[in-house]
Amino acid sequence: MRNIAKEVGELIRSQRKARGISQEALAAKSKIDRSYMGRIERGEVNVTLKALWDIAASMDISTKLLIPD
Amino acid sequence: MRNIAKEVGELIRSQRKARGISQEALAAKSKIDRSYMGRIERGEVNVTLKALWDIAASMDISTKLLIPD
């Protein structure tokens, strides 16, 4: 069974790293608590649409890029 | 300011109607409470990634189709 939360977390991490943004900076820009951002990236939480939208917007990318195929 | 929840709800509704599926049938297939599904379609709740994934899977479409550009 696929672990969608984990896959999304990995997509966020790879997009973030591709832009040389620290987890802390991404959390601040997305107005998400830093430790919660860590949990999102590790796939430990069932992230909401709004949080995903804000994370994508703060990296200036489409939210679709953070959704696995 | 965009209302992402409302936009997603409209995308779910249009995909559902395009397939001739009732809201009740979609809720049952997605294992989501029927009234909660109504609130999702009306954009009244901040839907989670898992719920969105299950809704897309139950219509056999990519979750990306339920994410606004």
Side-chain angles (χ1 to χ4, degrees):
Chain A
M1 178 120 160
R2 286 178 71 172
N3 182 333
I4 304 307
K6 204 157 184 325
E7 291 184 42
V8 167
E10 283 157 6
L11 286 170
I12 292 171
R13 179 164 287 174
S14 63
Q15 291 285 347
R16 173 173 65 75
K17 288 191 171 181
R19 284 161 184 75
I21 306 172
S22 70
Q23 193 176 80
E24 199 162 356
L26 183 58
K29 261 185 107 179
S30 314
K31 297 188 177 56
I32 288 174
D33 172 77
R34 201 202 63 68
S35 66
Y36 191 67
M37 179 66 82
R39 295 184 65 213
I40 289 172
E41 284 199 7
R42 290 189 301 272
E44 293 169 2
V45 296
N46 183 12
V47 65
T48 65
L49 169 70
K50 173 92 175 52
L52 216 49
W53 186 270
D54 291 343
I55 291 167
S58 69
M59 291 195 276
D60 203 22
I61 60 174
S62 166
T63 305
K64 293 178 193 253
L65 288 176
L66 302 180
I67 304 287
D69 291 316
Chain B
M1 176 118 162
R2 286 177 73 172
N3 183 332
I4 305 306
K6 205 158 184 329
E7 290 184 42
V8 167
E10 284 157 7
L11 287 170
I12 292 170
R13 180 165 285 173
S14 65
Q15 291 286 348
R16 172 171 67 74
K17 288 190 169 179
R19 284 160 185 75
I21 306 172
S22 70
Q23 192 176 80
E24 200 163 355
L26 182 59
K29 259 184 109 178
S30 313
K31 296 187 179 56
I32 289 173
D33 172 77
R34 202 203 61 70
S35 67
Y36 191 67
M37 180 65 84
R39 295 186 63 213
I40 289 172
E41 284 199 6
R42 291 188 301 272
E44 293 170 1
V45 296
N46 183 13
V47 65
T48 64
L49 169 70
K50 173 95 175 49
L52 217 47
W53 186 270
D54 292 343
I55 290 168
S58 70
M59 291 196 276
D60 202 21
I61 59 173
S62 165
T63 306
K64 293 175 192 254
L65 288 176
L66 303 180
I67 304 288
D69 289 317

